[in-house]
DNA sequence: GTAGGTGCAAATACTTTGCATGACA
DNA sequence: TGTCATGCAAAGTATTTGCACCTAC
């Protein structure tokens, strides 16, 4: 965690308890929470923390490259402490978002580069479907 | 365009000039406009049309499967009259959004299916980079 | 001690909704 | 003619901003 401290120092940023808590929470969850969800999760431990601080901190962490922002098609953003690009999958029923770590799409940018005059620098891939739990519920409905 | 008329009739929907204009505008552009952009583009021809109608119509067209909604990472949605899935590319400089029609990703869902317990039904792929025009501008800056 | 951060409230931006009027079928 | 759509204004939701006070360094 010393890396974090140094990284903040380099940029003349302060490592406040709020920032630490938000980043740590993101590191410790696989749920790809929204700002609101992070706020609600931390409120018991940091009762004075405001939603505005969550948003500001998330933007700071994104600028530092520690966090990425996801757009699964909802009306809000979700956040992921894994900054390396990797595909995500969204449950159309319950809204859950998971990683698909095993699927390697490293070469997709190079493949796509052949078909466009844009200079590609990154990409985002989202799959949509039913999570195992919601599949079971569907079965139960029959 | 008779298909459209029939499709509307089936669903007990009325094919108003506004709906016709919005769908036609989307069919005729490759710019993947936002609701606001559609509104501004049609205002000269339909001065009484309201932004609310644009939103309502877009949601209707989406339900009919005639239009798809894009989330390129901005704070708004963009719309595309090509309902079949196809990858998009976003210019990080000017915000332009283009299709990459030639890149076929039909099999990507099946490939990803091997690595997840979700039942995959669709996917969205976004590339990010610099469009040709903005690449030239960058060159000019040096 | 000071630059930078927090937290509140207000502002902004996008989208949706309620409702009276209007128009397609 | 009746049902559905439009258009206005107001409401709702997500996010950002301004500013006085506070705190990490």
């Amino acid at each position: 965690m010393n890396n974090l401290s140094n990284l903040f120092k380099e940029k003349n940023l302060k490592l406040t308890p709020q920032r630490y808590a938000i980043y740590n929470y993101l590191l410790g969850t696989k749920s790809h929470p929204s700002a609101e969800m992070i706020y609600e999760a931390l409120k018991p431990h940091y009762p004075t923390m405001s939603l505005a601080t969550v948003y500001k901190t998330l933007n700071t962490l994104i600028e530092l490259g520690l966090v990425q922002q996801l757009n699964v098609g909802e009306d809000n953003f979700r956040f992921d402490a894994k900054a390396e690009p990797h595909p995500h999958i969204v449950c159309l029923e319950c809204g859950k978002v998971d990683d698909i770590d095993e699927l390697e799409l490293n070469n997709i940018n190079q493949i796509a580069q052949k078909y466009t005059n844009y200079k590609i620098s990154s990409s985002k891939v989202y799959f949509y479907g039913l999570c195992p739990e919601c599949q079971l519920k569907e079965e139960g409905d029959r």
Side-chain angles (χ1 to χ4, degrees), chain A:
Chain A
M1 227 19 71
N2 212 345
N3 290 339
L4 193 63
S5 167
N6 289 337
L7 183 56
F8 272 69
K9 205 173 289 176
E10 275 175 31
K11 308 269 181 181
N12 282 328
L13 297 171
K14 288 173 184 168
L15 190 44
T16 63
Q18 292 89 336
R19 286 176 172 175
Y20 195 82
I22 290 167
Y23 184 51
N24 249 19
Y25 179 71
L26 273 177
L27 280 178
T29 183
K30 293 191 168 187
S31 68
H32 307 82
S34 64
E36 184 80 36
M37 289 159 76
I38 297 169
Y39 172 64
E40 292 298 335
L42 295 179
K43 201 151 65 172
H45 305 282
Y46 298 82
T48 71
M49 185 159 57
S50 80
L51 188 52
T53 297
V54 176
Y55 277 108
K56 286 172 188 168
T57 295
L58 287 169
N59 285 330
T60 303
L61 293 172
I62 288 168
E63 277 168 35
L64 290 174
L66 295 174
V67 164
Q68 70 174 299
Q69 205 175 32
L70 306 184
N71 260 271
V72 302
E74 300 167 321
D75 44 2
N76 58 21
F77 290 101
R78 286 167 172 264
F79 299 89
D80 188 339
K82 264 198 3 187
E84 315 86 65
H86 59 281
H88 293 91
I89 183 156
V90 184
C91 180
L92 294 169
E93 195 67 27
C94 68
K96 188 167 59 177
V97 179
D98 270 326
D99 299 312
I100 309 188
D101 292 315
E102 297 76 15
L103 176 58
E104 290 287 347
L105 294 174
N106 293 334
N107 52 356
I108 195 175
N109 292 6
Q110 292 147 44
I111 295 171
Q113 187 66 76
K114 295 179 199 154
Y115 299 103
T116 178
N117 293 323
Y118 281 60
K119 197 159 92 190
I120 296 178
S121 54
S122 67
S123 56
K124 291 195 173 170
V125 178
Y126 301 107
F127 294 95
Y128 299 87
L130 284 183
C131 72
E133 292 73 26
C134 289
Q135 285 174 48
L136 285 176
K137 272 185 226 143
E138 295 254 315
E139 306 261 328
D141 285 351
R142 289 195 220 122

